[in-house]
Amino acid sequence: MIGLEGKSLFSSRLFYRLLSGEDKEALAEILSEPEVTEPAGFRVAKTREEFDEFFTGLTAYNTALGIYLRDTLIGYVHVNKEISDDPALKDKPCVSVGFVIGMPWHRQGFGAEMLETVTDYLLTRFAACYADCFPENEASRKTIEKCGYRYVEDYSFFFPGLGEEKTCHSYVRLAESK
């Protein structure tokens, strides 16, 4: 779907490639902290089997990119198909992104560097890219806005991984804007 099979993307400090089985242990470590997973809409896996199921779902359609600093996995970004309510985007291909950066790499600009790079790539293939965050996730909101996304709306959604309904801020960046 996103056209990165066998390819990599690069930014000034990071590179990105599709997640693979060799990333599973490093990702399990990154996702072992509630401070990392819960702002992304899910809880830490309780068992190895639960994490394996999560990882299989994440990597099933070649839409999850690992974020690497040198040879170290520091997080991931996941791309999903999006159906836009915007009449200008009717029948145009759109995607949404969700991302997680591990705690040791927070507040170093890696999220913005990643989101800018991945969004620039996606907008060569899709009409729009959406990104959402919880209202209390100030760091993600600032990152999304810094990368040229504009606020669209708030919506409520039941997050099965958290077992609760939450409000989300929704943002969009269009292919022809920045």
Side-chain angles (χ1 to χ4, degrees):
M1 175 180 108
I2 62 174
L4 282 175
E5 292 80 358
K7 301 176 189 169
S8 297
L9 295 175
F10 297 89
S11 59
S12 63
R13 299 176 294 168
L14 304 170
F15 79 94
Y16 320 86
R17 66 166 171 74
L18 293 175
L19 281 174
S20 67
E22 68 189 51
D23 301 309
K24 189 186 269 190
E25 294 307 315
L27 188 61
E29 180 64 29
I30 289 168
L31 300 180
S32 67
E33 301 180 61
E35 300 85 5
V36 172
T37 62
E38 291 180 11
F42 59 96
R43 297 202 192 288
V44 171
K46 293 181 183 109
T47 65
R48 182 57 192 205
E49 292 75 24
E50 190 177 317
F51 179 78
D52 289 347
E53 186 177 320
F54 169 83
F55 188 83
T56 297
L58 183 65
T59 58
Y61 300 105
N62 291 329
T63 58
L65 299 173
I67 305 164
Y68 304 88
L69 176 62
R70 292 178 286 285
D71 292 330
T72 302
L73 180 71
I74 68 167
Y76 76 91
V77 57
H78 189 240
V79 182
N80 292 295
K81 288 182 181 179
E82 183 76 24
I83 298 172
S84 178
D85 291 335
D86 184 333
L89 296 171
K90 185 177 174 19
D91 300 324
K92 293 186 179 178
C94 300
V95 291
S96 63
V97 294
F99 57 93
V100 171
I101 303 286
M103 288 300 291
W105 302 282
H106 281 196
R107 302 198 181 282
Q108 298 177 50
F110 293 125
E113 182 176 333
M114 172 281 305
L115 188 58
E116 184 72 27
T117 301
V118 171
T119 301
D120 285 349
Y121 169 76
L122 291 171
L123 291 179
T124 67
R125 301 177 61 86
F126 300 96
C129 190
Y130 288 82
D132 300 345
C133 65
F134 298 140
E136 65 272 16
N137 191 340
E138 194 68 15
S140 284
R141 182 193 61 77
K142 287 179 179 178
T143 297
I144 291 166
E145 290 176 353
K146 180 179 182 177
C147 293
Y149 284 76
R150 69 171 171 78
Y151 173 79
V152 176
E153 66 181 349
D154 281 358
Y155 67 91
S156 292
F157 182 78
F158 181 79
F159 285 82
L162 293 175
E164 64 183 286
E165 187 165 313
K166 303 254 316 172
T167 297
C168 293
H169 293 323
S170 183
Y171 297 82
V172 68
R173 199 168 122 192
L174 302 175
E176 60 272 0
S177 70
K178 183 164 181 175

